[in-house]
Amino acid sequence: MQQLSAVSLVSYLHSLHKWNVKNSWGLPKESVRAVKQFPCCMEQLQQPRYLELEVLQTFKVLEEMITLLAFTFIFGDVYSNMQPNKPLYISENGLQLSVVTEQIKVLVRRGDNATLPCRLNRSSQTSFDSSEMRVKWTKLPQHSSEETFVLVSVGIYRKTYGTFNHRVYLQEADENDASLIITNVTLDDYGNYKCEVISGLDDSTNVVSLELEGVVFPYSPRLGRYNLNYHDAATACLEQDAVVASFDQLFDAWVAGLDWCNAGWLSDGSVQYPITTPREPCGGKNTVAGVRSYGQRDKDQARYDVFCFTSDYRGRFYFLIHPSKLTYKEAVQACKNDGAEIAKVGQIYAAWKLLGFDRCDAGWLADGSVRYPISNPRRNCSPTEAAVRFVGFPDKKLKLYGVYCFKASK
């Protein structure tokens, strides 16, 4: 153990500054007594120039930082239990606190509960019930500079935020467990999360990735190819029980064999498309396979298709057995009469990819398209590959198709 340097002393003096009355130096009375414990620094602090340029300016900066930190943690009494009269030391071995994650990735399906691991390694015996221990979970931004607050814990107090409100809590299996539990995981929960633990002057962070098992699918509306700006694309995915896919999700789909020659929006505002078999209409047959990028595009003016992502659902997807073929209007009503609703494009892809749904009957879907899922390729039913086959957007008055329905779990 060794006493703090002059720079560290300034930080300590500032902590005293918050709770004590100033003396003629403009410093807290307790600070003057503290200075006497630091003979190496006393002579410097007696110099007006040093006091003006080093101490007072440092106070101003630190005050701004602590104000921001206090606002971040919401609680106004975060620092109320500090002990300004207690001698201040720093360990020669550095930080006394570190955060460890047993997994860097957690894979779940929509609707599951996810546990994001975060455990403490520390030499002190401070408990979570102490106001000296603070835990903060945030979701790291994918496409912006601002982190999203998820949960903040200060002593016995907990606060959750936004869409995570009432859905997240700390596991606290023991006194060193700061793991975050997210209940009923949604498509929007996908991303990276940061666990930050602060104890006194020590703090440590670590990052865990929450990934969803699901399926990426290309989508274009009835209007045809390349008719969606970014905002229309996001709405189109949402209407089909999906979200705009991330680059990582598209890349994983390409690795799994997705080959699609139409460029589509991704969640970061870029436009890209996956090619596993290079050919002339898709960049040339002499080019290499890969995810090809048009780069960032104007979200308002540019028009492309979109790659959507969806995951598991809570309910039943099925082909409705009906005595006759149906128009679109009749298909919607038939599902309703069966206590269900006409299925969405995201639901047929999730049933096909995650549940192995296989049906060689073309059926209406909610967007007015007609499709059918094939998991076992065979003659007259997608003989070359497993896929969700797309018939098109036929005239809704045609009485030529069945219907796929979806009944949500209660």
Side-chain angles (χ1 to χ4, degrees), residues 268-290:
D268 62 358
S270 68
V271 174
Q272 310 195 36
Y273 64 101
I275 296 296
T276 58
T277 306
R279 51 200 181 274
E280 284 302 333
C282 304
K285 65 180 180 180
N286 294 323
T287 57
V288 298

Side-chain angles (χ1 to χ4, degrees), residues 225-273:
R225 180 175 180 259
Y226 292 176
N227 271 287
L228 300 171
N229 67 19
Y230 179 84
H231 311 291
D232 295 334
T235 299
C237 288
L238 187 63
E239 289 175 346
Q240 301 311 315
D241 193 37
V243 294
V244 181
S246 69
F247 171 78
D248 288 342
Q249 289 167 337
L250 181 64
F251 182 84
D252 289 343
W254 169 74
V255 170
L258 180 62
D259 183 287
W260 196 255
C261 200
N262 292 349
W265 290 103
L266 295 179
S267 60
D268 62 358
S270 68
V271 174
Q272 310 195 36
Y273 64 101

Side-chain angles (χ1 to χ4, degrees), residues 352 358 372-378 381-389:
W352 165 73
D358 183 283
Y372 60 99
I374 298 298
S375 295
N376 301 306
R378 54 198 181 274
C381 296
S382 186
T384 60
E385 63 178 350
V388 174
R389 287 302 185 183

Side-chain angles (χ1 to χ4, degrees), residues 109-110 187 213-217 240-242 309-314 317 344-357 373 375 388 406:
R109 291 185 178 185
R110 176 172 52 174
L187 296 177
E213 183 180 1
V215 57
V216 172
F217 61 93
Q240 301 311 315
D241 193 37
F309 174 85
T310 192
S311 184
D312 203 2
Y313 47 73
R314 291 292 183 263
F317 172 89
K344 300 176 180 179
V345 177
Q347 291 162 347
I348 195 173
Y349 270 98
W352 165 73
K353 181 69 173 181
L354 302 176
L355 302 177
F357 196 95
S375 295
V388 174
F406 179 78

